[in-house]
Amino acid sequence: MNTPKDPRPLLYRAAGQFAALVATVEPGQLDTPTPCHEFDIRALIAHVLGNTLAYPHIMQGTYRAAEPGNVAEVPGDDWAAAYADAEERLIVAGWAMDDRALDRMVDLGFATLPAPALPADLR
């Protein structure tokens, strides 16, 4: 029998690794292109930040496709602080979540997935 694994520890580890990477980005690098033509570094951080902010809402069943969405700008262009705050919110919300929520299907607007599949699909 395949029992879904709790995705929270891996999600928190990935969030921590991303936070460490964002902390190394200098302001002059934010407009640098990435291999994905749709994103420069600022847009990539904004995309991941939006998903990190959305994840607790998704798991609570309160997610709406447009919210919180992509984050276009942050105060003072301090992406490292903004992501660190989002990471902390994610961890607090995740550990406060009822474990039974992991058994649910979650609606992302573009797809409905089992909750344990979310970390891989929100990258």
Side-chain angles (χ1 to χ4, degrees):
M1 179 172 150
N2 288 336
T3 304
K5 189 174 183 176
D6 185 341
R8 291 174 290 187
L10 289 175
L11 181 61
Y12 303 155
R13 189 169 110 204
Q17 291 172 339
F18 192 76
L21 286 172
V22 173
T24 68
V25 175
E26 298 291 329
Q29 296 174 305
L30 289 169
D31 296 321
T32 304
T34 68
C36 181
H37 302 301
E38 296 177 38
F39 298 109
D40 59 14
I41 291 176
R42 178 185 283 108
L44 179 62
I45 295 169
H47 176 72
V48 176
L49 175 59
N51 284 334
T52 302
L53 291 168
Y55 193 83
H57 298 282
I58 292 167
M59 293 307 297
Q60 294 166 359
T62 60
Y63 177 73
R64 290 181 275 174
E67 296 176 337
N70 222 6
V71 177
E73 57 186 63
V74 298
D77 237 10
D78 193 348
W79 292 95
Y83 192 80
D85 180 60
E87 176 192 17
E88 179 65 23
R89 290 184 197 191
L90 172 72
I91 292 168
V92 169
W95 288 126
M97 183 180 72
D98 185 326
D99 288 346
R100 291 175 292 177
L102 296 172
D103 296 330
R104 293 191 290 116
M105 297 292 285
V106 292
D107 182 7
L108 300 176
F110 63 88
T112 301
L113 303 168
L118 288 177
D121 293 299
L122 285 178
R123 283 185 276 178

